[in-house]
Amino acid sequence: MNVIAVGLGGFFGSIFRFMVGKAIPSQSGFPLGTLVINLMGCLFLAWFFTITAKQKNINPNLILAIGTGFTGAFTTFSTFSVETLNLLKDQQYFIAILYVAISIFGGITLAIIGTKLVSLDFKIKRKPRGKS
């Protein structure tokens, strides 16, 4: 059942990656589509794993389908790596360095934000209501 959950999630994640990648074309050689996809994945996965860790009644197969399957297929380290190598091969060193730096630091920053969003959401939900 685990394999089916991951496969089903991966099916939809790869289609979504394809659609987002087509909607966001490269800008002057800068692989903007892959960058946006990977940054979205960092934010979402950190949020998703943080929020599901706080919930008790979530089916583990759903977590596998969404976390490992969907998000794993949606994000793409291999494309990031190949695009970086292509930029270096084409002697676009500044764009390659910028791409790597934004990918790493942006990804970590968005993962931190993803975890903080869960805490913020729980604080808002638990906040006692004042009398009107």
Side-chain angles (χ1 to χ4, degrees):
M1 190 61 178
N2 291 347
V3 172
I4 293 169
V6 171
L8 193 58
F11 173 77
F12 290 107
S14 60
I15 291 170
F16 191 51
R17 177 178 77 205
F18 176 78
M19 291 169 42
V20 172
K22 288 295 180 187
I24 305 172
S26 294
Q27 301 292 319
S28 302
F30 189 88
L32 186 60
T34 304
L35 178 67
V36 169
I37 287 166
N38 286 339
L39 293 178
M40 287 172 56
C42 290
L43 176 70
F44 175 75
L45 193 62
W47 171 83
F48 180 74
F49 280 152
T50 303
I51 202 157
T52 56
K54 294 180 181 283
Q55 304 296 322
K56 305 281 188 243
N57 301 340
I58 298 179
N59 185 320
N61 286 321
L62 183 61
I63 294 170
L64 276 174
I66 295 171
T68 303
F70 180 86
T71 310
F74 177 66
T75 58
T76 173
F77 186 77
S78 57
T79 301
F80 159 75
S81 299
V82 169
E83 288 172 342
T84 301
L85 287 177
N86 286 338
L87 289 169
L88 293 171
K89 183 185 75 168
D90 295 340
Q91 298 180 347
Q92 294 182 297
Y93 302 116
F94 178 75
I95 292 175
I97 291 168
L98 185 64
Y99 182 43
V100 169
I102 293 171
S103 295
I104 292 171
F105 295 112
I108 292 169
T109 300
L110 286 172
I112 291 168
I113 291 169
T115 61
K116 300 291 183 189
L117 286 173
V118 173
S119 299
L120 177 64
D121 183 47
F122 273 86
K123 287 178 185 173
I124 290 170
K125 287 181 181 176
R126 285 192 244 163
K127 184 177 178 181
R129 295 179 186 231
K131 295 182 181 180
S132 301

